[in-house]
Amino acid sequence: MVKVGVVGVGAVGAATVLSLIERGGMCREIVLVDLDSRRAAGVAADMRYATPLAPTVEVRAGGYDDLAGAAVVIITAGLNEKSGGATDRSDPEGRRRLIGANAEIYAGIVPRVVAAAPEAVLMVVTDPPDPLAVLTRRLAGHDRVFSTGTLIDSLRFRVHLADRLKVRPRDVQAMVVGEHGTSEVLLWSSASAGGTPVLDLLARCGEPVDLIRREIEDDIRFANITIIEGTGASQYGIGVVSALLVEAVLRDERAVLPVAAYYPPYETTLSLVSVLGAGGVQQMFEPAMSEDERAGLERSVVALREAAERALAVLPDGA
Amino acid sequence: MVKVGVVGVGAVGAATVLSLIERGGMCREIVLVDLDSRRAAGVAADMRYATPLAPTVEVRAGGYDDLAGAAVVIITAGLNEKSGGATDRSDPEGRRRLIGANAEIYAGIVPRVVAAAPEAVLMVVTDPPDPLAVLTRRLAGHDRVFSTGTLIDSLRFRVHLADRLKVRPRDVQAMVVGEHGTSEVLLWSSASAGGTPVLDLLARCGEPVDLIRREIEDDIRFANITIIEGTGASQYGIGVVSALLVEAVLRDERAVLPVAAYYPPYETTLSLVSVLGAGGVQQMFEPAMSEDERAGLERSVVALREAAERALAVLPDGA
Amino acid sequence: MVKVGVVGVGAVGAATVLSLIERGGMCREIVLVDLDSRRAAGVAADMRYATPLAPTVEVRAGGYDDLAGAAVVIITAGLNEKSGGATDRSDPEGRRRLIGANAEIYAGIVPRVVAAAPEAVLMVVTDPPDPLAVLTRRLAGHDRVFSTGTLIDSLRFRVHLADRLKVRPRDVQAMVVGEHGTSEVLLWSSASAGGTPVLDLLARCGEPVDLIRREIEDDIRFANITIIEGTGASQYGIGVVSALLVEAVLRDERAVLPVAAYYPPYETTLSLVSVLGAGGVQQMFEPAMSEDERAGLERSVVALREAAERALAVLPDGA
Amino acid sequence: MVKVGVVGVGAVGAATVLSLIERGGMCREIVLVDLDSRRAAGVAADMRYATPLAPTVEVRAGGYDDLAGAAVVIITAGLNEKSGGATDRSDPEGRRRLIGANAEIYAGIVPRVVAAAPEAVLMVVTDPPDPLAVLTRRLAGHDRVFSTGTLIDSLRFRVHLADRLKVRPRDVQAMVVGEHGTSEVLLWSSASAGGTPVLDLLARCGEPVDLIRREIEDDIRFANITIIEGTGASQYGIGVVSALLVEAVLRDERAVLPVAAYYPPYETTLSLVSVLGAGGVQQMFEPAMSEDERAGLERSVVALREAAERALAVLPDGA
């Protein structure tokens, strides 16, 4: 039976599990592991009562050993932006302020996950996901590691573009690449709907396109602040995203999505166009980019490399 | 477009919304109302980013006025067991300790909901749901009021029976009637799987049936304590249940479920077998019961009537 | 990747595939095998264009060899009631008239399926499914064989009861056991809704219950004639049923359903209460029955044993 | 309750109904109308037995009067390519050979549909859909008319591109515009995956792009021949497509899809980028096109205008 593990059953972990249950799909068994084992047990017991209403899935709390045989392990453990004091959105460091604390936590978790589930694909959700994925890859000693990267940012970009275009977000194609964080790059040049660049579609609205661009970038930023002020941290959107990514791996969908994996040409883990399926990210490529976008990506790579170094610093002699 | 309102966007409200979005179905627009308008706005913003991945649903925060035209309004506002100090599970009062505080809150909310959405069906989720549904019906001045009642208890009963029988919970038929609370009645006599009484099926296991009965009742109680100790309060199971009940109303499913509505023969609101569809509960009847079960139901009715009186006491001169 | 084979891609086979694709679930790859390889190729090509709109499933035509590794193989090949001249509904033989022709066809098919997919669960859909399942079990030399049995009959029973009770069919519990054919037994005594016998619920309608019983039995018969006169043979309902049964096996649901498997006490294959999961039917038991129902079941067993003999007669020296 | 009508319950109509039932969504009631009322009754009776397994939908056969109140009416009645003798795929006329016969049939049907359901959106599926939509719009006297157009062709394009790119078809963006027929235009210039032109992605494969283009165009043509030789006509893919389009209207999704509606600048009905929601196509625009593609579109417009004239010729004095 196809098993999925969740390490860290806070708000994001729980939303992911609820979404996995509701969506049915390939997942048949879910094991919840949390430092606070009472929390894991409580969430498992609560979720179980939803299962008669959805395709059969078993949910239970467990220890690391219970991850044995898991096809995917989702790691959401760690401090979030609020508990880690990273809510000053004008701070260029942003989520990177969480690196030290969460890298320590990962250094404790990942070896135990890998010992129990050596074949599992590891999906990093904790902030900042990209440097933590670098650390996870090093700790795991294999390449079946990816992070949720900029997929949630890309969905935000699509939702706000769709608002302006007055169409269904599903039909707007737009990506954010680079860091899931302050250096991320919105790919305006390739964003499209109905086979037509969104910049052309927006231009037809009558307002100056540069103004609309800035407004949409503000919409995204404003929505993020609204979430953080309202509930402390993004959890429902990222939970659904995480469930969907797990399904893409389990089903070997070869989905084309902006999630982050180690990309040898840049010697770090970042979101580009990734093909996600069995084993994790099977292929990556750089999308078409304008010169500005490429320059932005390069800046993001620099920031990510530096952040990765800081994450790796928790290893004994930078191993 | 079919609109659903949610008043009170805590953990239960949010799980309900996530489940409504994931399930698709009839609901097209969801309005979130919360005393803490920043929380409603935060949850709405967060949920929106899940919507490109599911059938089109709009989620937004609003005030009571924005409930205009809603087909169903879900009320989850109020203190929960933990915040209301009702976590001593040996206390025979149980959730009824919350009546005073939550009746006051409902007295403030319901008239505003009814003023904005006079045609809406009102679904009460807040604990204790049955007395609060009596109050809501009085405040609303109409009969399109029901509570989630003992549906979640019935699911728990089914899940733990299924554990023993080693079958899928969906295929175990079992109901809990009466109060969603300490006086609830598990209908062992009519519980069945595959057209066969579960008591017969359990008897084949070799253990004394009375012992197994007690163990299952303990399993249910134990799981509930596990949830409360783990996360403070049941939220995911009840969220999925709430989404499913809303769908039954919107789709006029004429679903046969143990939810609570006003039942004239007993002059109070309690869970019996209810037929749920357009307009709420369209019909109710008493299931087959053993003498003991009937006696238990009568005790539950007494407790519910008294609790309803306490809820109604918030009205000026008991109006 | 989880693979399902379909041998015989007529109307029923195609409806099954469409339903498997639409439902998502565990199935990831579907191989279509048909004597008319052009038909298999045509259906596969047509279905493929629906797949971008549903969870990823690959559908392709193939030969028996391509069934290698299939978890379940669905066999729908053979003459149907119309092509086999079994449409005289007053004929007590009914579908059994197809035994000779379809047993010959199965004798050609099953060994090739088993050679290619020795580990697969085999699901028999072709009429008459129960004797053909006996033959299939003998040819396969293993016990992972079941037929769709009386599940479709049970759904018909539930739908027509629900019509009378004016409730959702999903919430009516009712089973038909014995033969999928003229000797089938409707279990009126255990049919229930909301924990209450349907005979009691129907009695409250005011009409004599015996009259209503006869009318419902006529409704079922009439609907069947309507289907046969309209389209030649039942195909859509049975297609959805087949997809659902496959999912129960793949997901190891331990679903409790009236499908047919070999039941040692009766030394034949018939529908009783079956627990369906990994490996096929894992457990069977006889539901509670009235004396009349039990007598009916015994007559059905006699008819099924005789029919099974006729199916086995295609084997060299009744092997 | 949201009602959908289906006029013409052949293979395509039935596949559409099965898909509507399986998908749940907004549709609550389906009325089947067919010249052969026994066929409609048979399909309805058969489909009903699938409904306990899916969200509540009522399916019934009826006459035109029963379409009253339908939100959408799907018209699939008429000769198909095989019965109409339009299977010579080298014939540049293609589906247009069916115009005469099917326009006569539509002249009989549409006024009766509009008389019964004057507010309904009309969706034309019968071949050739675009000229028949012109005729339908004239007969209906309103603009809530669209055809399935080139959406199925676009899905074919996406599936075969995805084959070459070895990714999930859902993530390939590609459209076919103009006629659903021999003059259709594949928009290679705007086809993309992961924000990158597919022509660039294909170029990386090492083969000359022009060769790959021709091969993909052949793949599409070959698959179509495979379908027609195998089952007589495309039915399952188009059925799923039709169900999805109905849902987009009922849910007011503002989906961005290549379906056909009347486009004033070209004075005919053709597929461009259409925004589909309540009331049908709410907006249309021309996607970005290369010069060759634009020239192809203009040729398609000429063919469509002429075909529309032939369809309109069934009206008394070309009314």
Side-chain angles (χ1 to χ4, degrees), chain A residues 14 19 22-23 38-39 41-42 46-49 53-54 156 159-160 163 168 170 223 226 230-231 235-237, chain B residues 14 19 22-23 38-39 41-42 46-49 53-54 56 156 159-160 163 170 223 226 230-231 235-237:
Chain A
S19 186
E22 295 278 55
R23 294 190 160 238
R38 294 203 312 178
R39 178 160 174 91
D46 195 354
M47 293 285 177
R48 285 197 77 196
Y49 299 132
L53 310 172
R156 291 172 185 177
V159 163
H160 290 286
D163 272 0
R168 180 168 76 161
R170 185 184 312 184
T226 301
T231 65
Q235 51 196 284
Y236 304 108
Chain B
S19 187
E22 294 278 55
R23 293 189 160 239
R38 294 203 310 181
R39 178 160 173 90
D46 194 354
M47 294 283 177
R48 285 197 76 195
Y49 299 132
L53 310 172
T56 304
R156 290 172 185 177
V159 163
H160 290 286
D163 271 1
R170 186 184 310 184
T226 301
T231 65
Q235 51 197 283
Y236 305 108

Side-chain angles (χ1 to χ4, degrees), chain D residues 6 17 164 168 221 233 241 301 307 309:
Chain D
V6 180
V17 173
R164 296 299 175 119
R168 179 169 76 161
R221 193 171 305 116
V241 159
V301 167
E309 286 310 311

